[in-house]
Amino acid sequence: MDTTRNTALQAWMDEHGYSSNSLAEAVNRALERLTGRPGGLDGSSVRAWKAGRVRWPKSATRKALENVTGLSATALGFVPRGRTPSTPAPPQEDPDMKRRTLGGIAVAAAVAAAPGTAPRRIGMSDVDRLQSRFAEIIASDHRHGGQLGIEQRAAALADEALNLQNSGSATQRVRSRLYACAAGFRSSAMWAAIDGRRYDDAQRHMREAQALAEMSGDQAIKFRIWSHAGTMYRHLGRPGDALAANDVARSLHLTRRDPLFASLGLARQGAIRGAAQDRTSTRRAFGQAQDALDRADPEAPRPVWLTAFYDQAELHSLALSAHLALGEYPTAEAHAHQCLSALRPYMARSRAIATTRLAHAQLAQGDAEAAVASAMKVPSSAATQHARVSRMLQEFGAALRATAHGSSTVQTWTEHTAAWRTSA
């Protein structure tokens, strides 16, 4: 039996601080949430995965592992039965990723331009390679979010997918998948720009992503792009445009096939309604979103970008945003605590955002001491490097000084933010 070591899984564990025993415990808990029965994995089970003795875990175990890590089983180095194992790129942030991406583009262009050479056959292995890189981008986004480097790498990978179209012959199915890959990377570039408040760049990526998605015919990626557009317009303070964009996503027929897509569309509609100060519609949308989430089959096959982030925690996060905008601060605080308790370990960006919103909700209720204690839990890296978090914390500081001027809590916060600036 081939026992090639699973270096991708080992790299993910090293980056996120998991031992074999702690990962087994996390997967067991995820299995219990999925099946209602505790999992029976232990450290030896994970060591068998790392050593390559188990190349393709059982389906429920794979799903639980994907829920814990936010990556697909193949991106974690597992090999479906019947396939030849390969050594995938590790899913952590790779400082050489940009160099390798640009190298791939150059190679593809050289192949296309070389005179006298027969065109190579582009196949699903090329698509699978791009999909593993997509999983890397998704993982980087959930750790860091909004970074210009993520946007640039995603855009470069979109170009690589398009260059493959011209570097050889391929079936129509493969060409459609390549367009879907390119659209997926562009939508990640779009999201990184939105998250970093670079809205002009986001709109440019959106237009390119929409055109690529149309050529791909992929409903899921169309949903992602239009749903992102709704979020972008909500952040821009344009609720009419936000609702129109989100309605395009919600009108796609896959939302009728899969309640998880329907739930995400409804939850984002609720966030938009909250920003527009429509209390009745906000509550209705979140009630419907919860119903749809409860109906969703956790075992149904779905794209990694969706399964990596949308769950009960994200629904609470969107409800937190909506009720904060509505001025319903106790309800917002309740959603914040529920979100934070349910977030998956790797969702660092989402945790920073929810913690900052929790601080705002507590301060608005007059509890400055609790609010400052919450805000101080935001890591300095998010506070200084993530544009959305940084702006929300600046607004928090201004509100704190306005409501608790001269108090010890203001002094505590001032000293804390000074330390951030020193360490940045």
Side-chain angles (χ1 to χ4, degrees), residues 344-366:
R344 286 173 265 183
Y346 60 86
M347 302 287 282
R349 183 271 313 279
S350 295
R351 186 170 297 278
I353 290 172
T355 302
T356 305
R357 286 175 173 157
L358 170 62
H360 275 274
Q362 290 169 325
L363 182 61
Q365 294 175 79

Side-chain angles (χ1 to χ4, degrees), residues 26-46:
V27 175
N28 282 337
R29 290 192 296 270
L31 273 167
E32 185 170 13
R33 290 193 293 271
L34 284 171
T35 66
R37 299 184 301 277
L41 302 171
D42 57 20
S44 65
S45 307
V46 177

Side-chain angles (χ1 to χ4, degrees), residues 216-238:
S216 77
D218 188 305
Q219 288 259 312
I221 203 61
K222 288 182 185 179
F223 179 97
R224 187 186 197 214
I225 293 161
W226 282 104
S227 186
H228 281 347
T231 300
M232 177 183 69
Y233 290 129
R234 172 165 62 88
H235 290 320
L236 285 168
R238 294 161 57 180

Side-chain angles (χ1 to χ4, degrees), residues 153-381:
R153 285 195 297 278
L157 285 163
D159 290 339
E160 181 175 342
L162 289 176
N163 277 326
L164 271 175
Q165 293 278 12
N166 301 314
S167 68
S169 61
T171 65
Q172 184 57 45
R173 174 172 175 263
V174 169
R175 292 204 181 280
S176 294
R177 292 290 298 276
L178 287 174
Y179 280 125
C181 285
F185 285 125
R186 274 291 167 192
S187 66
S188 283
M190 172 189 175
W191 178 251
I194 293 169
D195 212 25
R197 299 181 60 80
R198 298 181 296 276
Y199 296 121
D200 288 343
D201 291 334
Q203 291 181 71
R204 176 173 55 83
H205 292 307
M206 177 185 71
R207 288 189 290 271
E208 295 186 36
Q210 287 167 338
L212 292 167
E214 287 300 321
M215 287 188 283
S216 77
D218 188 305
Q219 288 259 312
I221 203 61
K222 288 182 185 179
F223 179 97
R224 187 186 197 214
I225 293 161
W226 282 104
S227 186
H228 281 347
T231 300
M232 177 183 69
Y233 290 129
R234 172 165 62 88
H235 290 320
L236 285 168
R238 294 161 57 180
D241 290 334
L243 282 172
N246 195 59
D247 282 347
V248 174
R250 293 181 56 230
S251 69
L252 294 167
H253 65 76
L254 92 167
T255 63
R256 295 185 287 279
R257 294 199 317 264
D258 189 337
L260 195 67
F261 281 94
S263 178
L264 176 56
L266 285 161
R268 285 183 165 162
Q269 182 186 36
I272 296 166
R273 293 293 190 184
Q277 301 297 301
D278 186 340
R279 284 175 167 75
T280 301
S281 295
T282 298
R283 295 190 184 96
R284 182 187 305 117
F286 281 112
Q288 293 171 337
Q290 185 65 63
D291 289 344
L293 182 61
D294 292 341
R295 294 196 312 273
D297 177 5
E299 294 290 338
R302 297 183 177 97
V304 65
W305 63 261
L306 180 64
T307 58
F309 90 100
Y310 189 63
D311 55 11
Q312 188 68 63
E314 178 64 15
L315 197 156
H316 283 304
S317 176
L318 289 165
L320 160 60
S321 172
H323 289 287
L324 196 60
L326 288 168
E328 297 176 344
Y329 302 119
T331 304
E333 180 177 2
H335 281 295
H337 289 301
Q338 290 171 299
C339 171
L340 290 167
S341 67
L343 275 173
R344 286 173 265 183
Y346 60 86
M347 302 287 282
R349 183 271 313 279
S350 295
R351 186 170 297 278
I353 290 172
T355 302
T356 305
R357 286 175 173 157
L358 170 62
H360 275 274
Q362 290 169 325
L363 182 61
Q365 294 175 79
D367 195 345
E369 186 174 344
V372 168
S374 294
M376 289 174 65
K377 293 177 183 177
V378 178
S380 60
S381 57

